Amino acid sequence: MAVQVVRRHERLHGEGHAPNDKSDGVDGFAALDKKKGFASIVLGGNTKGEISVNISGIPEAFGKKVNVDVEYVVWENKDKAVPSTTPVSSKEYDVNGGKITVPVNITNVKYGYRVYVTPIIPQEPYKGSAAAIPGKIEVENYDVGGSGKAYLDKDDENKGGEYREDAVDIVKGGTGYAIGYTQEGEWLEYTVDVAAAGEYALRANYATSSENAGIKLYVDDVAVTDNIIFPQGADWETYTAFDAGKVNLSAGKHVLKLEIVGNYVNVDYLEFCSGEKCSAGDTTITEPSGTGDSTTLVQNYRVDFGMAQTYGIFSLNGRLLGKVSATSLAEAHVKARNLVQRGSALQSRYVIRAVK
């Protein structure tokens, strides 16, 4: 990206010129962040009045329209912190040949000005089609539209390095890809199409070794669930399908928001099902019917397989303590209790789940 600063149709300083505090001109320089989707141009110098900032090399990914914010900061002396910026203007510009021209009125030679360019990309479904409900939503297929519009991620890069090239952290896992490295308050949005109004069973496929981590869902910015806290698992590679209750939805197109609760939970997919619950799977657990210590929590989970299944016994920090074979989780719990002795490190506090 190149910047040219012009006053009264005369070029004063441009790309390649070093700042000169003894000149009567204006200096400018630019920085481009493709992942976050913005360009920032900083201006200043020993002149006042109207100038034109000619910006070229705007990436095609920014589209045919951009939003331009102009703002400034004041300066008193080198020992005084600069306060927050003061907005001057905010305007949409048509991009022609990767170029725009932005007028800036410099009112004080001690002010530092910034021209902030961001793409105007409408929020739309990834791959062009709204996700159908009932159905399964792959969490990595969040809408296009960019940071602050289709998603919010607290770091600047895709730490997993998979699938998409923006700031959302995507890892290999689950049924293909999942979001990972998640932090409290991050969110993703999905354009969905609900076939009919009604109550839908909700299932989420997740992996975590964190305590008190999970998700919360919103439809059109209105919460439709409480915090859904997932049972702590062994690691971030073993995914479990969790039946998370029911959600009331109205028919038609909506925007579904998935918000992260707690830290470091990988989420593979969300599934919305007609009927009482989603069909059984061999790692499915249902939400506990009551509260209490970890032993009571395990007793209130229900899984029906009808054949022998291997269950892992895990400590509360996710460490595998042993395995048992049983035809149901209730039977597995009885066998696990026979292995646990009072006064041991477990002290009857453990978690059981189906494993391969």
Side-chain angles (χ1 to χ4, degrees), residues 96-149:
N96 295 307
K99 301 177 181 179
I100 60 173
T101 296
V102 180
V104 177
N105 183 28
I106 296 179
T107 60
N108 190 309
V109 296
K110 290 187 176 181
Y111 290 174
Y113 286 79
R114 183 171 80 151
V115 179
Y116 189 71
V117 183
T118 53
I120 300 174
I121 302 174
Q123 182 171 343
E124 296 177 340
Y126 186 62
K127 298 184 178 179
S129 298
I133 294 178
K136 185 180 290 186
I137 300 173
E138 294 290 343
V139 172
E140 66 273 13
N141 290 338
Y142 51 89
D143 285 355
V144 299
S147 178
K149 185 181 293 184

Side-chain angles (χ1 to χ4, degrees), residues 1-4 15 29-34 38-41 54-59 62 66 98-100 115 117-118:
M1 177 173 287
V3 178
Q4 184 187 57
E15 185 180 25
F29 61 90
L32 173 65
D33 191 319
K34 289 185 178 180
F38 73 85
S40 182
I41 298 95
N54 298 327
I55 304 169
S56 60
I58 297 174
F62 275 41
V66 293
K99 301 177 181 179
I100 60 173
V115 179
V117 183
T118 53

Side-chain angles (χ1 to χ4, degrees), residues 97-355:
K99 301 177 181 179
I100 60 173
T101 296
V102 180
V104 177
N105 183 28
I106 296 179
T107 60
N108 190 309
V109 296
K110 290 187 176 181
Y111 290 174
Y113 286 79
R114 183 171 80 151
V115 179
Y116 189 71
V117 183
T118 53
I120 300 174
I121 302 174
Q123 182 171 343
E124 296 177 340
Y126 186 62
K127 298 184 178 179
S129 298
I133 294 178
K136 185 180 290 186
I137 300 173
E138 294 290 343
V139 172
E140 66 273 13
N141 290 338
Y142 51 89
D143 285 355
V144 299
S147 178
K149 185 181 293 184
Y151 68 83
L152 176 66
D153 197 284
K154 293 186 177 180
D155 56 66
D156 297 342
E157 62 178 333
N158 178 353
K159 289 183 177 179
E162 301 290 344
Y163 196 63
R164 295 174 70 170
E165 295 182 355
D166 53 29
V168 177
D169 306 310
I170 301 177
V171 299
K172 287 184 177 179
T175 56
Y177 296 101
I179 61 165
Y181 300 96
T182 55
Q183 298 181 59
E184 176 93 33
E186 293 182 340
W187 51 263
L188 305 125
E189 290 191 339
Y190 308 82
T191 301
V192 298
D193 193 355
V194 182
E199 195 172 58
Y200 291 85
L202 172 65
R203 171 181 288 172
N205 202 38
Y206 79 97
T208 187
S209 190
S210 298
E211 295 184 18
N212 300 316
I215 61 174
K216 185 174 182 178
L217 300 184
Y218 301 78
V219 172
D220 300 331
D221 288 326
V222 177
V224 293
T225 72
D226 294 326
N227 289 353
I228 299 169
I229 303 301
F230 298 133
Q232 184 183 24
D235 51 45
W236 286 271
E237 287 77 43
T238 305
Y239 285 78
T240 300
F242 181 73
D243 287 327
K246 297 181 179 180
V247 179
N248 275 302
L249 301 174
S250 57
K253 287 192 176 180
H254 303 278
V255 175
L256 172 73
K257 177 188 285 186
L258 182 159
E259 181 181 42
I260 298 299
V261 176
N263 294 302
Y264 304 115
V265 55
N266 292 7
V267 187
D268 174 24
Y269 65 76
L270 301 176
E271 188 174 7
F272 295 85
C273 310
S274 300
E276 290 298 312
K277 67 175 184 177
C278 298
S279 59
D282 56 4
T283 57
T284 299
I285 55 179
T286 62
E287 189 142 31
S289 60
T291 58
D293 64 17
S294 298
T295 303
T296 302
L297 189 68
V298 171
Q299 288 174 330
N300 283 327
Y301 287 134
R302 183 182 70 255
V303 179
D304 297 315
F305 297 105
M307 61 181 66
Q309 169 75 22
T310 300
Y311 294 86
I313 307 168
F314 298 90
S315 67
L316 297 187
N317 64 8
R319 184 166 61 92
L320 179 64
L321 303 170
K323 295 181 180 180
V324 296
S325 179
T327 58
S328 69
L329 188 58
E331 181 184 349
H333 181 63
V334 171
K335 289 186 176 182
R337 285 179 64 89
N338 291 335
L339 297 176
V340 177
Q341 300 294 324
R342 288 288 179 182
S344 71
L346 281 136
Q347 295 182 344
S348 298
R349 297 178 63 82
Y350 53 89
V351 173
I352 298 177
R353 63 176 176 79
V355 296

